[in-house]
Each structure stands twice: as structure tokens, then as C-alpha cells.
Amino acid sequence: QVHVAESGGDSVQAGGSLRLSCEVSGHPSNSNCMHWGWFRLPPGKEREEVAQLYTHDGDTTYADSVKGRFAISQDQVKSTVYLQMSNLKPEDTARYYCAVAWGAAFCRLPRPPNFTYWGQGTQVTVSS
């Protein structure tokens, strides 16, 4: 059974930093064709994709709102992906969710944009 677990959410002052972690268990250990994503759901707003990573070639994309401040990375050995967040702003306040998918399709072009498994989220609150 696949389980996705986020951690690292906290309350911080504007300008501060946080690192979110997302660990997945129950997936094939030899899978190097993975697609990771971080999403957020701000209060009263729609869900936004923050960052994504295709592990086969390390390709990453970011929402314009976080470019230059957030970075997604992976520890393949630990089956964990991170979201390093710097220079946090009050508008970054949201519940952050991790999503993941894997399969041979994610090692071929064009790569699917979809995710299969989601975590329960971790809360990030940034005060001014």
C-alpha cells in the first residue's frame, strides 16, 4: 500500500525559511521514473501547483509566484522529495500537499502531467 506523508510545516515570520519533506512508501524501490509535485491550497483560494520534478532527467518547473524562492529536490535513496522555501511571504500561507506518480511513461516524452498519490498536507503560516 502506498503512503505519502508530508512534514515540515510551521508558522514563521515573513522573510523566513522552511523545508518541507515528502516521503513515499510502498512504491517499487527501483523506480527512477517518478513525477513529484508540490501543491498548495491557500485559505479561500484555489489549489495551485507550486513545483514539480521529473526524476528521470531532473527537469523542474515552478509557479511564477515562487520562482527564485522555492526549490524542489529529491533524495532518491530515501524516496523523499523536499521543498526548500526561502524569503517566505504572507501570501505563501497555505496547506501544502505532495503528490507523486511513477511508471515508464515518466521516462519518455511527452511525459504525463498527472499524479496518482497524494498526501494529507502540512500547514505553512507566514506572518507579517
Side-chain angles (χ1 to χ4, degrees):
Q1 185 175 356
V2 176
H3 183 62
V4 179
E6 304 97 333
S7 61
D10 204 346
S11 297
V12 297
Q13 296 280 337
S17 299
L18 281 175
R19 189 178 79 160
L20 305 183
S21 299
C22 173
E23 184 174 1
V24 62
S25 58
H27 77 292
S29 59
N30 61 349
S31 174
N32 65 348
C33 300
M34 300 184 72
H35 182 207
W36 295 89
W38 283 100
F39 293 76
R40 65 185 181 186
L41 185 61
K45 296 184 180 180
E46 295 185 352
R47 188 180 70 186
E48 176 187 25
E49 182 173 326
V50 174
Q52 66 172 339
L53 165 69
Y54 289 97
T55 62
H56 182 59
D57 59 3
D59 183 39
T60 58
T61 58
Y62 298 92
D64 287 342
S65 57
V66 305
K67 280 181 181 177
R69 300 189 298 121
F70 290 13
I72 186 171
S73 61
Q74 184 202 21
D75 183 331
Q76 190 169 1
V77 174
K78 296 181 180 179
S79 298
T80 300
V81 70
Y82 305 98
L83 185 68
Q84 179 67 48
M85 306 186 295
S86 304
N87 190 21
L88 283 162
K89 304 175 181 179
E91 52 263 42
D92 294 319
T93 294
R95 190 162 185 85
Y96 284 71
Y97 296 87
C98 176
V100 65
W102 56 81
F106 296 104
C107 280
R108 296 191 297 262
L109 294 176
R111 290 175 293 219
N114 55 288
F115 298 95
T116 307
Y117 302 99
W118 294 76
Q120 296 299 307
T122 185
Q123 180 66 35
V124 172
T125 302
V126 184
S127 57
S128 57

